[in-house]
Amino acid sequence: MGKVTGFLEYDRQEQKYQLAGERVRHFREFTLPLDDSDLKKQAGRCMDCGIPFCHGPTGCPVHNQIPDWNDLVWQGDWEQAAANLHTTNNFPEFTGRICPAPCEEACTLNLENQPVTIKTIEQAIADKAWEMGYIKPEPAGFSTGKRVAIIGSGPAGLAAAQQLARAGHDVHVFERQAKPGGLLRYGIPDFKMEKYHIDRRVKQMEAEGVTFHCGINIGVDRSFASLHNEYDAVLFAGGAEDPRNPNLPGQDMKGVHYAMPYLTQSNKRVGGEDVTDEQILAGGKHVVVIGGGDTASDCVGTAFRQGALSVTQLDIRPRPPEREDKLTVWPYWPTKMRTSSSQAEGAEREFQAATLGIVGKKGQATGVQCARVDERRQPIPGTEFTLKADLVFIAIGFAGSVKEGLLEQSGVAMDRRGNVVADDSSYRTSNDKVFVAGDMRRGQSLVVWAIREGRQAARAIDTYLMGDSNLPV
């Protein structure tokens, strides 16, 4: 906790944003950090609530010891706050920027709609740690002689790699893209998290003994069998990348794309990488985004920065209430009206709207046919309408991992949802010495869940290789 009476003395204060008209002119982060004095007060609001649901199973997936580091920030001990935070989270500067903060929804003060600004404080601790030089490589200083291959360098793969390297194993990470980071680099736009955050973590991990092999697609450029034979353990951390297909009439028209190729291409362009595929650009176009989640919102913000004339987002769900009923849902994640920073930049939002198909002329999309839906999400006759659209993005989630290549060659068991089968204790697949973590195991989820699974899988692999493990649970 912070100050005993802090929650009575200090109002909740969040980071502010650059004005929308300014931030859509660039792809950089646009939050305006609080100064140390204000951060201290915000940390001081952490109350002696008895049971801190913020870091329990309903709050933080990695079980950050939130009251502890809030108290340390209140005392001005940033170094110990950073040390505490890193005991549970390898990459707090990632989650401090892009996590939706279920911890704040679980905060006791959220019963009064004034939760502690946990996410803001977490980001500040991580940023201060880098600024002050508290974060340094932590090489094991010994070698177990065991070699581990990790396929995928997203948050799960990175977390597992760092933990296993610190346990003394020789860790090799294989990434099909040109640079490490996975979804963090190629899916999340720079205006939410600039990529130097990833780069300096990669340098830290290389100094700890992790070897990165980029531009290698296991299952395509190199067989799974060769990797399986060479390493003592293999971890699948490739994510859930197979987009859910709505099978819409007219979906094959020019100007209709899945969300991730668009975001990946934009991120490559911003990062100075070559874009060899067909250029997907929103400048001067009317854009419709099908889907109501974070990926859809990222498409909205990216389209505005590329100069879209208009952006409309379709959500099949009904418009949620402005506030939840605390007594029925707290401390769990509630359904309530949320407006992302990208949506606040000028997007039109259509709720309870089903997409019936894409219309066009001479093979080019010109509009999206829609209809309102009932409580069973079925179109209501007579409610049809058409939205003008030169560019349409499909962002309705993912159907699991891509099966071709790696998964087919490995022969691991899959469940009916398209995920690799493994429990959340051993993380072992049906294939000998092969483990899985993150979205590839649990389906599409949050970055913070991927970090947790990567850490836990690292402990499971360490136990498998050595018979026991000192890595945290």
Side-chain angles (χ1 to χ4, degrees), residues 238-440:
E241 300 177 301
D242 191 14
R244 187 171 287 119
N245 187 350
N247 292 308
L248 297 171
Q251 185 177 315
D252 57 348
M253 287 191 183
K254 187 176 181 181
V256 182
H257 306 272
Y258 285 111
M260 287 311 299
Y262 173 59
L263 294 175
T264 297
Q265 186 180 111
S266 176
N267 284 6
K268 284 184 176 181
R269 194 179 292 114
V270 172
E273 295 186 46
D274 291 335
V275 176
T276 57
D277 299 328
E278 174 196 354
Q279 298 284 329
I280 310 172
L281 293 165
K285 296 178 181 177
H286 296 281
V287 178
V288 171
V289 182
I290 302 170
D294 290 338
T295 302
S297 182
D298 290 344
C299 289
V300 170
T302 301
F304 278 130
R305 281 159 181 77
Q306 291 181 349
L309 295 177
S310 69
V311 182
T312 304
Q313 187 175 357
L314 300 176
D315 194 331
I316 200 169
R317 299 169 297 184
R319 184 184 181 93
E322 291 297 321
R323 287 187 177 176
E324 72 276 25
D325 182 350
K326 304 288 186 184
L327 295 181
T328 60
V329 297
W330 181 86
Y332 297 96
W333 182 260
T335 298
K336 65 179 178 182
M337 187 64 180
R338 304 174 193 273
T339 301
S340 71
S341 59
S342 292
Q343 292 164 339
E345 290 164 359
E348 294 292 330
R349 301 172 71 182
E350 295 282 353
F351 290 98
Q352 232 168 326
T355 305
L356 303 181
I358 313 297
V359 295
K361 294 180 180 178
K362 298 181 179 180
Q364 168 65 51
T366 59
V368 179
Q369 289 183 322
C370 312
R372 301 300 173 192
V373 297
D374 57 24
E375 63 277 3
R376 294 179 294 115
R377 298 187 177 182
Q378 296 302 307
I380 301 173
T383 65
E384 296 83 4
F385 61 98
T386 301
L387 295 171
K388 185 176 182 179
D390 310 300
L391 194 57
V392 181
F393 296 119
I394 300 170
I396 57 173
F398 300 87
S401 302
V402 175
K403 311 301 183 299
E404 295 79 12
L406 175 65
L407 294 182
E408 285 183 346
Q409 291 178 20
S410 68
V412 294
M414 310 283 291
D415 65 21
R416 61 184 180 83
R417 295 174 58 231
N419 302 322
V420 179
V421 174
D423 61 43
D424 60 359
S425 176
S426 71
Y427 287 90
R428 293 185 67 176
T429 71
S430 58
N431 190 318
D432 182 45
K433 74 179 183 182
V434 177
F435 299 75
V436 63
D439 289 5
M440 219 167 186

Side-chain angles (χ1 to χ4, degrees), residues 31-316:
T31 53
L32 305 175
L34 301 179
D35 61 31
D36 287 1
S37 174
D38 288 332
L39 285 164
K40 179 178 178 179
K41 291 177 182 177
Q42 292 306 299
R45 295 185 67 243
C46 188
M47 62 187 296
D48 186 11
C49 60
I51 299 176
F53 287 94
C54 59
H55 68 82
T58 61
C60 180
V62 294
H63 303 303
N64 282 336
Q65 299 171 78
I66 294 163
D68 300 73
W69 44 255
N70 273 332
D71 185 54
L72 290 164
V73 171
W74 167 250
Q75 296 175 37
D77 193 344
W78 290 92
E79 185 169 9
Q80 282 303 309
N84 183 297
L85 180 53
H86 279 89
T87 63
T88 56
N89 187 350
N90 296 68
F91 315 118
E93 68 272 30
F94 299 172
T95 51
R97 284 171 167 79
I98 58 178
C99 184
C103 52
E104 293 191 20
E105 296 292 350
C107 177
T108 301
L109 288 177
N110 190 38
L111 288 167
E112 296 294 328
N113 298 302
Q114 293 293 314
V116 175
T117 52
I118 300 168
K119 179 178 174 179
T120 295
I121 297 167
E122 179 181 29
Q123 177 184 332
I125 294 172
D127 290 349
K128 178 76 76 172
W130 281 107
E131 176 190 341
M132 300 302 293
Y134 301 150
I135 298 175
K136 298 181 176 67
E138 300 176 28
F142 62 91
S143 174
T144 64
K146 302 293 186 180
R147 306 183 75 215
V148 181
I150 296 177
I151 303 172
S153 66
L158 291 177
Q162 185 164 64
Q163 295 295 96
L164 287 165
R166 290 176 175 178
H169 303 302
D170 182 16
V171 180
H172 292 255
V173 178
F174 293 85
E175 168 58 50
R176 70 180 183 188
Q177 296 284 4
K179 297 180 181 179
L183 176 72
L184 294 166
R185 185 182 297 275
Y186 294 103
I188 295 170
D190 282 56
F191 58 80
K192 290 175 69 174
M193 189 182 80
E194 294 181 39
K195 304 313 178 236
Y196 72 87
H197 299 292
I198 304 170
D199 295 335
R200 61 189 181 185
R201 283 295 183 183
V202 168
K203 288 181 180 178
Q204 179 197 28
M205 293 169 66
E206 287 176 333
E208 294 171 345
V210 177
T211 303
F212 290 90
H213 305 269
C214 294
I216 300 177
N217 189 353
I218 303 300
V220 178
D221 303 318
R222 179 176 176 179
S223 70
F224 163 76
S226 68
L227 212 68
H228 189 261
N229 294 335
E230 183 178 340
Y231 290 87
D232 298 295
V234 179
L235 174 65
F236 289 178
E241 300 177 301
D242 191 14
R244 187 171 287 119
N245 187 350
N247 292 308
L248 297 171
Q251 185 177 315
D252 57 348
M253 287 191 183
K254 187 176 181 181
V256 182
H257 306 272
Y258 285 111
M260 287 311 299
Y262 173 59
L263 294 175
T264 297
Q265 186 180 111
S266 176
N267 284 6
K268 284 184 176 181
R269 194 179 292 114
V270 172
E273 295 186 46
D274 291 335
V275 176
T276 57
D277 299 328
E278 174 196 354
Q279 298 284 329
I280 310 172
L281 293 165
K285 296 178 181 177
H286 296 281
V287 178
V288 171
V289 182
I290 302 170
D294 290 338
T295 302
S297 182
D298 290 344
C299 289
V300 170
T302 301
F304 278 130
R305 281 159 181 77
Q306 291 181 349
L309 295 177
S310 69
V311 182
T312 304
Q313 187 175 357
L314 300 176
D315 194 331
I316 200 169

